[in-house]
Amino acid sequence: MARDLRGFIKLLEERGQLRRISALVDPDLEIAEISNRMLQQGGPGLIFENVKGSPYPVAVNLLGTVERICWAMNMQHPQELEELGKKLAMLQQPKPPKKISQAMEFGKVLFDVLKAKPGRDFFPACQQVVIEGDDLDLNKIPMIRPYPGDAGQIITLGLVITKDCETGVPNVGVYRLQLQSRHTMTVHWLSVRGGARHLRKAAQQGKKLEIAIALGVDPLIIMAAATPIPVDLSEWLFAGLYGGSGVQLAKCKTVDLEVPADSEMVLEGTITPGEVLPDGPFGDHMGYYGGEEDSPLIRFHCMTMRKDPIYLTTFSGRPPKEEAMMAIALNRIYTPILRQQVSEIVDFFLPMEALSYKAAIISIDKAYPGQARRAALAFWSALPQFTYTKFVIVVDKNINIRDPRQVVWAISSKVDPSRDVFILPNTPFDSLDFASEKIGLGGRMGIDATTKIPPETEHEWGAPLESDPDVAAMVERRWAEYGLADLQLGEVDPNLFGYDMAKQEQGRQGR
């Protein structure tokens, strides 16, 4: 597969997962409304070819299903993402190999790292057109405004690239940017993010911070930039590991930064420390509008692009959204890393409906009393991205953690709230979580839904109900004899048991 956005679009089109819309559409609310309806149904990616106020087409919902996320990662099934996670786990905590097979496996990973080293492109496609100075007008970029209460137009899937002024090490992140004028935008990043750290260092040295925004890049690079795994490797190297070969980079025209050579558009500018403007409110991933906040102001002075560029975008909100699909894929990548950190964990799942990180379901191979509580506490501290996980539910290894019916059964049949629920009050928390009594400070809950063993309980646990294996085998053999051969018993439709999984929710925003 070609390592750029156009190659991915071609792939989606060949597989019947892309629709082109030629009707005139408005980037103000209309594109998001159409896209949101498509996201709710797991529909195809969209390219709007006729956008009001802009000569450029808009691509959206390209990563709107887990299947398409896998395709972007050059994979076919989500399970393959765990193999990638094993590589990252090995790099994060390398252990001396005890067997020749282990040494060979580690050698393969190191070879993959060598192959992942970025390359250089001296005649990049992203600089086929160069616009500088007063000719630059950010209003021509078809930035969308997703919700009626949003403060303005936004960029959401741009790679925001900065560099440490002391070490020269770059940071690549995916942050929201708000249009402020034809030359300026504000960037919204948390104080712990790499870009914010670089700005603080530049301020200490009395320097402006150079910044580049790469738009319309290979979705695989977006996945790499969105992976907050604590490994001392650059995002470019991550992307190379993800894709199996190094990312081709190009030096910017006016700032000392590098961007993917096949980007559709690149914005180049600077941030003067202390120069801020109000940013927000905007609809965020929690399903509510966030607040207004003074954010760094970027002054752009150059824009380069490919001929006939494509603008790639997305938007946040209550799942399902593209960011939720990306989180499901990252969940698979994290799994081997988490197993390495917390050995008793068999599997874990971050349900999309729980905003992809607010609730975690963990299965363990239980061997001793109190192990479920230990696993929950270890989970919260295993990786930085789990700091804001509000609920952790621990179940036995035989429970399918991706089947909510099995999880609800485990909670209902194995939990005594007075014994098996524990709460950690007043912990550092997500400032976007309005459920907290105090913004930035909240509680966490652990639920032990495992089978209890002494001394967790003073009585014997009932034996689980199971079919007689001989009778079950006989019924399997005689199934056709019963005249039931035409009935294939596979995945059960949950709607048959009182659920309403297909019907769209009414009054979604008010709940």
Side-chain angles (χ1 to χ4, degrees), residues 274-331:
E275 192 172 15
V276 298
L277 279 180
D279 183 284
F282 285 102
D284 65 44
H285 67 284
M286 297 288 291
Y288 305 100
Y289 288 104
E292 180 183 293
E293 184 177 349
D294 285 344
S295 298
L297 182 69
I298 309 171
R299 295 187 178 275
F300 292 107
H301 50 260
C302 179
M303 181 167 105
T304 68
M305 65 178 74
R306 298 174 67 141
K307 294 177 182 177
D308 303 317
I310 302 167
Y311 177 65
L312 177 66
T313 190
T314 190
F315 53 97
S316 293
R318 183 174 171 181
K321 296 291 182 287
E322 288 183 80
E323 60 190 3
M325 299 303 113
M326 295 170 66
I328 291 172
L330 292 174
N331 185 165

Side-chain angles (χ1 to χ4, degrees), residues 88-110:
L88 299 179
M90 197 175 295
L91 289 170
Q92 182 175 322
Q93 289 187 346
K95 299 177 182 179
K98 297 180 180 179
K99 301 177 182 178
I100 294 179
S101 60
Q102 292 176 336
M104 292 177 63
E105 186 178 2
F106 188 63
K108 290 178 182 178
V109 172
L110 292 179

Side-chain angles (χ1 to χ4, degrees), residues 49-350:
E49 298 179 320
N50 189 4
V51 182
K52 182 179 178 181
S54 177
Y56 311 124
V58 173
V60 68
N61 193 29
L62 300 192
L63 300 176
T65 65
V66 175
E67 180 181 47
R68 296 203 293 271
I69 292 277
C70 290
W71 293 349
M73 304 285 285
N74 295 330
M75 298 174 184
Q76 297 301 316
H77 305 288
Q79 292 82 354
E80 296 177 62
L81 295 166
E82 292 197 24
E83 292 302 316
L84 176 59
K86 289 178 182 177
K87 290 182 184 179
L88 299 179
M90 197 175 295
L91 289 170
Q92 182 175 322
Q93 289 187 346
K95 299 177 182 179
K98 297 180 180 179
K99 301 177 182 178
I100 294 179
S101 60
Q102 292 176 336
M104 292 177 63
E105 186 178 2
F106 188 63
K108 290 178 182 178
V109 172
L110 292 179
F111 182 63
D112 287 340
V113 172
L114 292 176
K115 288 193 300 180
K117 187 178 179 181
R120 296 293 180 272
D121 190 331
F122 297 100
F123 301 98
C126 68
Q127 293 177 0
Q128 290 172 344
V129 179
V130 179
I131 303 171
E132 295 186 85
D134 291 337
D135 293 331
L136 173 61
D137 185 359
L138 298 175
N139 292 292
K140 292 183 179 179
I141 301 174
M143 304 178 205
I144 66 173
R145 189 171 73 103
Y147 301 105
D150 287 347
Q153 295 170 278
I154 54 172
I155 287 175
T156 51
L157 277 184
L159 297 184
V160 180
I161 302 159
T162 58
K163 188 163 62 175
D164 189 304
C165 60
E166 292 180 345
T167 65
V169 175
N171 179 78
V172 184
V174 181
Y175 312 120
R176 189 192 70 225
L177 299 106
Q178 177 185 338
L179 180 66
Q180 297 286 352
S181 74
R182 67 197 307 266
H183 289 141
T184 64
M185 300 188 78
T186 45
V187 58
H188 184 266
W189 51 32
L190 298 176
S191 60
V192 298
R193 300 304 185 194
R197 292 197 303 269
H198 290 174
L199 181 58
R200 287 194 294 271
K201 279 196 173 184
Q204 291 170 0
Q205 297 193 9
K207 298 178 180 179
K208 292 183 179 181
L209 179 68
E210 293 185 326
I211 188 167
I213 316 297
L215 303 171
V217 301
D218 177 6
L220 184 145
I221 302 177
I222 295 173
M223 290 295 296
T227 306
I229 300 173
V231 182
D232 192 17
L233 297 174
S234 76
E235 287 83 1
W236 303 134
L237 206 54
F238 265 138
L241 282 171
Y242 282 9
S245 61
V247 176
Q248 294 299 303
L249 299 176
K251 187 174 174 59
C252 288
K253 283 287 187 181
T254 63
V255 293
D256 187 22
L257 295 169
E258 293 180 316
V259 296
D262 288 323
S263 303
E264 294 291 320
M265 305 175 181
V266 176
L267 300 173
E268 302 177 11
T270 59
I271 300 176
T272 300
E275 192 172 15
V276 298
L277 279 180
D279 183 284
F282 285 102
D284 65 44
H285 67 284
M286 297 288 291
Y288 305 100
Y289 288 104
E292 180 183 293
E293 184 177 349
D294 285 344
S295 298
L297 182 69
I298 309 171
R299 295 187 178 275
F300 292 107
H301 50 260
C302 179
M303 181 167 105
T304 68
M305 65 178 74
R306 298 174 67 141
K307 294 177 182 177
D308 303 317
I310 302 167
Y311 177 65
L312 177 66
T313 190
T314 190
F315 53 97
S316 293
R318 183 174 171 181
K321 296 291 182 287
E322 288 183 80
E323 60 190 3
M325 299 303 113
M326 295 170 66
I328 291 172
L330 292 174
N331 185 165
R332 291 282 191 177
I333 295 172
Y334 294 152
T335 300
I337 300 169
L338 184 60
R339 287 193 192 113
Q340 184 166 280
Q341 298 275 10
V342 188
S343 58
E344 57 257 73
I345 290 181
V346 174
D347 200 0
F348 92 108
F349 180 50
L350 301 169

